Every structure is written in C-alpha cells, then in structure tokens.
Amino acid sequence: MSALEDLIAAGRALVDAGLSPGTSGNVSVRDDDRLLMSGTGTRLGALTPEDIAVLTLAGEIVGGARPSKEVPLHVAMYARNPEHRAVVHVHSPSTVAVSCLEPWAPHSAVPPLTPYSLMRVGQVPLLDFVPPGDPAMGALITDCPVPFRAALLANHGAVVSAAEAAAAVDSTIELEEACRITLLTDGRQRRLIAPERVAEITARWGTPWTATASVS
C-alpha cells in the first residue's frame, strides 16, 4: 500500500479498536521527505485523501488539509526515532487514566506486568504536562533522558512511533491494554516480571528498557 493508504487504514484500525472516539487523536506517516498527517477535526475511522495534510519533515505545511495542532509532537517523535515511519497519538481511556497518576518509576509509568507490552512497547516514560498543541511538547520528547518508542503525556494520552503504520497501531493497542492492567492492579500487591527476565525479553525484541533497581 502507499503511505496514504497506510495512514487511512491506521485511522480505521484505531477506531475499530475503540481508541479514538469522535474526532480525538491523530496519525501521521512519513513518505520519503514529507509527512502525511490526519487533518484537524477529522474522524480517524473515516479519513479520505482530502482529510490529509502534507508537511515537510520540519512540520511546515506544503499542501492538503489543515493539520492537527499536534504537529510538534509528531515531528519530534520522527526526529527521535529516525528509522520510524509512523506516529500515533490517542486519548484512549486507559492511557489517559494512567497519565493522570504518578508514574510507576522514573523511566516508565507502566510497570512490567506482562511480557507483551515489553515485547512490543518497552518502557513508557511519563512526560510533563503542557497544553495540547503547545510547541513545548516537542522539547519534552527531544529532551527525555531515556530511550522510548511510546510515552504517556501527563493528563492527556499517549504517543507511539513504529517502523510502519500497522505496527504503530498494534503497539498503541498493546499500550492501552498494559495501562488497563496497570489500573486493575493499582493499589494491590503486584507480581512483576523479574528484572532479569525484563532484560531478556526487551533485548530479544529490541525494545527499550532502562535497567534500574527493582520497584514494587
């Protein structure tokens, strides 16, 4: 499929998974030296070519629809992970809920409760709050001291990047599930995956995880 078709399919998949109600969330795909991004106010499950904004890799508008206000967020994610070709931003219920809590650890708001989030996502730092669309969000992404391919935006939602659009969607779905399990186990005595197993899993799957002392 073309980059445009990938973007439209990703939007539909996010809505089908229940992660993008109404006109919330946005998706972008890198197409050589430009970005294709869902336009502002669009419904991700019903995107058409006319709903897509075309931007430079620096975020300058060169054609198409008016882009989402979250351009700085997307641009910073591509700059941080240059090999990635898709970025997803959602306000899904469980990611928003966890983004409103104190993080489990400095390097990850989400604890290592299942192997699947480790395999597909790795660590998920919680970034400080700034209003949606604030250019400062780009700096938060750029300046985060730990590696990541997904992050929670405080009191806001999640952002995920991946090598292709379908993988970004899958990782976003897995992150929502990991956050749901985090909420279900909050306040209880958790059985976390042991640090040495976490290291094995993330090394095998090539996902980021910062080795730290055990956190309960």
Side-chain angles (χ1 to χ4, degrees), residues 11-12 14-27 38-47 51 89-93:
R12 187 178 305 115
L14 289 167
V15 171
D16 289 346
L19 303 186
S20 180
T23 59
S24 68
N26 35 78
V27 183
S38 55
T40 186
T42 55
R43 295 180 179 271
L44 295 188
L47 291 174
D51 297 321
H89 168 51
V90 293
H91 310 151
S92 53

Side-chain angles (χ1 to χ4, degrees), residues 1-14 27 29 43-52 165:
M1 291 195 296
S2 68
L4 176 61
E5 291 170 325
D6 284 342
L7 191 157
I8 290 173
R12 187 178 305 115
L14 289 167
V27 183
V29 173
R43 295 180 179 271
L44 295 188
L47 291 174
T48 68
E50 290 70 33
D51 297 321
I52 308 305

Side-chain angles (χ1 to χ4, degrees), residues 96-124:
V96 171
V98 174
S99 81
C100 295
L101 301 176
E102 290 300 316
W104 167 74
H107 68 288
S108 186
V110 181
L113 291 166
T114 74
Y116 309 106
S117 63
L118 295 173
M119 291 159 56
R120 189 168 289 281
V121 182
Q123 63 193 13
V124 185

Side-chain angles (χ1 to χ4, degrees), residues 182-204:
T182 297
L183 295 169
L184 288 172
T185 59
D186 189 39
R188 303 190 180 193
Q189 188 171 355
R190 290 168 166 152
R191 289 175 55 89
L192 301 180
I193 298 175
E196 62 271 18
R197 294 298 188 190
V198 173
E200 291 173 4
I201 293 169
T202 53
R204 178 178 179 183

Side-chain angles (χ1 to χ4, degrees), residues 2-216:
S2 68
L4 176 61
E5 291 170 325
D6 284 342
L7 191 157
I8 290 173
R12 187 178 305 115
L14 289 167
V15 171
D16 289 346
L19 303 186
S20 180
T23 59
S24 68
N26 35 78
V27 183
S28 66
V29 173
R30 180 172 178 173
D31 183 24
D32 293 328
D33 61 350
R34 63 181 189 164
L35 299 181
L36 306 182
M37 186 175 187
S38 55
T40 186
T42 55
R43 295 180 179 271
L44 295 188
L47 291 174
T48 68
E50 290 70 33
D51 297 321
I52 308 305
V54 183
L55 306 98
T56 68
L57 298 182
E60 299 172 352
I61 303 170
V62 296
R66 180 184 173 192
S68 163
K69 59 183 173 295
E70 301 292 6
V71 168
L73 175 63
H74 288 248
V75 168
M77 286 295 285
Y78 287 111
R80 186 174 183 102
N81 296 301
E83 74 281 11
H84 287 180
R85 304 188 69 81
V87 172
V88 169
H89 168 51
V90 293
H91 310 151
S92 53
S94 296
T95 62
V96 171
V98 174
S99 81
C100 295
L101 301 176
E102 290 300 316
W104 167 74
H107 68 288
S108 186
V110 181
L113 291 166
T114 74
Y116 309 106
S117 63
L118 295 173
M119 291 159 56
R120 189 168 289 281
V121 182
Q123 63 193 13
V124 185
L126 177 67
L127 305 182
D128 291 340
F129 176 80
V130 296
D134 191 320
M137 180 57 69
L140 289 177
I141 296 287
T142 301
D143 296 342
C144 182
V146 299
F148 68 89
R149 57 182 60 177
L152 295 186
L153 316 176
N155 305 85
H156 185 166
V159 63
V160 178
S161 68
E164 57 184 25
V169 170
D170 289 344
S171 294
T172 303
I173 293 171
E174 191 59 56
L175 177 57
E176 172 69 7
E177 182 67 5
C179 286
R180 187 177 74 87
I181 294 169
T182 297
L183 295 169
L184 288 172
T185 59
D186 189 39
R188 303 190 180 193
Q189 188 171 355
R190 290 168 166 152
R191 289 175 55 89
L192 301 180
I193 298 175
E196 62 271 18
R197 294 298 188 190
V198 173
E200 291 173 4
I201 293 169
T202 53
R204 178 178 179 183
W205 289 86
T207 49
W209 191 268
T210 300
T212 61
S214 178
V215 180
S216 61

